[in-house]
Amino acid sequence: MLRANASMSKQPTNGNNRELLVRQFVCNDLFARSKIGPIFYVLSALITGILANLHDPLSPIFGAALAILIVVAVARLTTRPPKNEPVHIEQFIIKHWCFVISSVVTWSAFYSWIVYTYGMSSAFLFGLVSTINFSTALVHQFSPQLKRAITCSLLCLLPSVLIMWLYQPSLSIVTFTLALYLPYLVLTARNSHKEYFNHLDNKLDLQAALAELEVLSVTDGLTGLLNRREFNKRLAVAMKICQRTQSGMGLILLDLDDFKTINDTYGHSVGDKCLIHATAILKRIFSRETDIIARVGGEEFAVIVQSNNEDEAKQSAKKLQEVFENTPYIDNTETASLRITASIGIAYYDGNESRSAEQLYIAADNAMYDAKNSGKNKVITA
């Protein structure tokens, strides 16, 4: 059957739950943003090597760099993020960054060697464009983790800039231009990081608001129990489950006796506290996963309880009646001790009947009013 309380619905995101959602979102986002990058590292290394004529015969440096990039690309594309497990999420993020750094360092070392060995050439120009693209993509794509994004971007670009400065004086204008580009990358990374988390905060706030609205749409604002509309849906579903599994269930309706007198004598604030008191009793008695509790009227409550037979359902109702009778509501602020009783009606459904949910509810409702009209504080079976 269906669980009775609001935990069936999405809960508003807050506290540790929100932090976990952020980590999960960042984890999934890092994976999604790294699907294309590994392939471009491989293609760029391959084309750069071919332009430098390193493929015939195969240069050991070219072959090693290409092999490492292919292995890392396969690892990055096949290692998928976990679901909602903080330890595993953190492990994935660390593993992911190890893959990214491996790709960056391998490419940077290979291209720095190209710069050192070949200077101005078609391989140099193609590799230069690729390096600028990689370093720029790193600060944008991986901005959720700012320090790592900046570190990887600098690891990608800075070694080749240093090689140009130290060993290729003819490329001084390129070196100077790239040196000016480095602070731009850092500033861009910071801005992207800020924009990313502003967007993420807005998204989570919207999700939390929608989740809260969803909870409010199916629950009673005072007691937190299901409301009448949602209970009717759950009742119909519970009956279908009984039909499919050939099991039984009891529908218990109860009305607090003389509740109007409590409101008139002590005020509605005490009346509300009595309703909350009644809710606590119901939750204590019907605490199984399959029990469904709702507030279906002002002082009326309904319970769906799995039962093997009608006697078992009636025993549950009798126990509820006894607990109500022996558990008065004590209001310390009003110095009031109120004995609260309930008139209870039961209708049993065995899964083989042709009754509708509405007919079952009416039967239990009639039994409840029979209990109330015959002296109150009674349990009557339909």
Side-chain angles (χ1 to χ4, degrees):
M1 287 191 183
L2 303 178
R3 188 167 174 80
N5 53 39
S7 65
M8 288 293 294
S9 303
K10 294 179 181 178
Q11 294 296 320
T13 56
N14 50 60
N16 293 333
N17 188 36
R18 185 183 179 96
E19 183 178 347
L20 176 59
L21 285 175
V22 170
R23 298 297 288 174
Q24 181 71 63
F25 189 90
V26 169
C27 179
N28 293 337
D29 214 21
L30 288 174
F31 175 75
R33 291 173 177 226
S34 67
K35 287 182 178 179
I36 300 177
I39 298 172
F40 276 101
Y41 278 110
V42 173
L43 291 176
S44 295
L46 179 62
I47 295 172
T48 302
I50 292 174
L51 290 175
N53 294 317
L54 297 175
H55 59 293
D56 189 20
L58 182 65
S59 164
I61 294 178
F62 174 50
L66 195 59
I68 293 172
L69 290 173
I70 290 173
V71 170
V72 173
V74 172
R76 284 176 67 177
L77 293 173
T78 55
T79 304
R80 298 190 172 275
K83 298 291 184 182
N84 298 325
E85 298 179 22
V87 175
H88 294 161
I89 289 174
E90 192 61 35
Q91 289 174 349
F92 171 83
I93 291 175
I94 293 173
K95 186 184 295 184
H96 170 85
W97 277 106
C98 288
F99 292 149
V100 172
I101 291 173
S102 298
S103 297
V104 169
V105 169
T106 301
W107 166 259
S108 182
F110 174 65
Y111 180 63
S112 296
W113 177 73
I114 291 289
V115 173
Y116 176 79
T117 305
Y118 295 94
M120 177 61 74
S121 62
S122 57
F124 166 81
L125 291 175
F126 182 84
L128 177 62
V129 173
S130 297
T131 301
I132 293 173
N133 287 339
F134 291 148
S135 59
T136 305
L138 284 164
V139 297
H140 284 288
Q141 295 293 85
F142 301 129
S143 59
Q145 298 196 307
L146 180 61
K147 292 181 180 179
R148 290 172 177 173
I150 292 175
T151 299
C152 285
S153 183
L154 295 179
L155 280 175
C156 184
L157 189 59
L158 196 55
S160 56
V161 172
L162 291 175
I163 294 296
M164 291 180 210
W165 179 51
L166 294 173
Y167 299 104
Q168 299 291 351
S170 62
L171 300 175
S172 58
I173 187 63
V174 178
T175 305
F176 179 73
T177 303
L178 292 177
L180 291 177
Y181 191 62
L182 291 174
Y184 166 79
L185 289 175
V186 175
L187 292 174
T188 299
R190 292 173 63 88
N191 290 335
S192 295
H193 177 79
K194 183 178 180 180
E195 290 173 3
Y196 179 90
F197 280 101
N198 284 340
H199 170 74
L200 181 55
D201 283 341
N202 291 336
K203 181 174 182 176
L204 291 178
D205 287 343
L206 178 60
Q207 287 180 348
L210 291 174
E212 187 173 356
L213 286 174
E214 184 179 344
V215 171
L216 292 174
S217 70
V218 300
T219 57
D220 170 61
L222 176 65
T223 63
L225 299 176
L226 297 177
N227 58 26
R228 174 68 180 271
R229 183 177 62 178
E230 182 64 18
F231 181 79
N232 288 341
K233 294 179 183 178
R234 303 286 182 96
L235 176 59
V237 172
M239 291 176 69
K240 288 180 180 178
I241 293 175
C242 287
Q243 293 170 4
R244 188 171 65 249
T245 60
Q246 293 297 294
S247 58
M249 54 163 272
L251 173 60
I252 301 173
L253 297 185
L254 63 120
D255 185 274
L256 301 184
D257 296 327
D258 301 317
F259 187 74
K260 184 177 183 302
T261 302
I262 294 175
N263 272 336
D264 292 343
T265 304
Y266 299 98
H268 288 279
S269 62
V270 172
D272 288 347
K273 292 175 183 177
C274 288
L275 292 173
I276 295 172
H277 172 73
T279 299
I281 292 175
L282 286 164
K283 287 183 175 180
R284 188 165 73 244
I285 300 299
F286 301 104
S287 58
R288 296 182 301 180
E289 290 285 330
T290 53
D291 295 336
I292 300 175
I293 313 171
R295 182 186 177 196
V296 294
E299 65 271 21
E300 294 183 20
F301 297 85
V303 181
I304 298 172
V305 57
Q306 278 188 324
S307 303
N308 294 320
N309 52 60
E310 188 172 340
D311 288 340
E312 186 177 320
K314 189 171 183 178
Q315 288 173 7
S316 297
K318 288 292 291 182
K319 180 180 179 182
L320 177 63
Q321 179 201 19
E322 292 171 2
V323 173
F324 264 112
E325 193 171 10
N326 297 318
T327 312
Y329 168 68
I330 300 175
D331 190 331
N332 294 324
T333 61
E334 300 288 340
T335 64
S337 177
L338 304 177
R339 179 174 175 268
I340 300 173
T341 61
S343 298
I344 302 174
I346 307 172
Y348 184 75
Y349 182 77
D350 64 9
N352 294 314
E353 305 174 45
S354 59
R355 279 193 292 182
S356 66
E358 183 180 4
Q359 290 171 330
L360 185 68
Y361 192 94
I362 290 173
D365 193 52
N366 289 336
M368 180 187 73
Y369 278 101
D370 287 343
K372 186 169 287 291
N373 294 330
S374 62
K376 304 177 183 178
N377 191 24
K378 291 183 178 180
V379 176
I380 291 184
T381 304

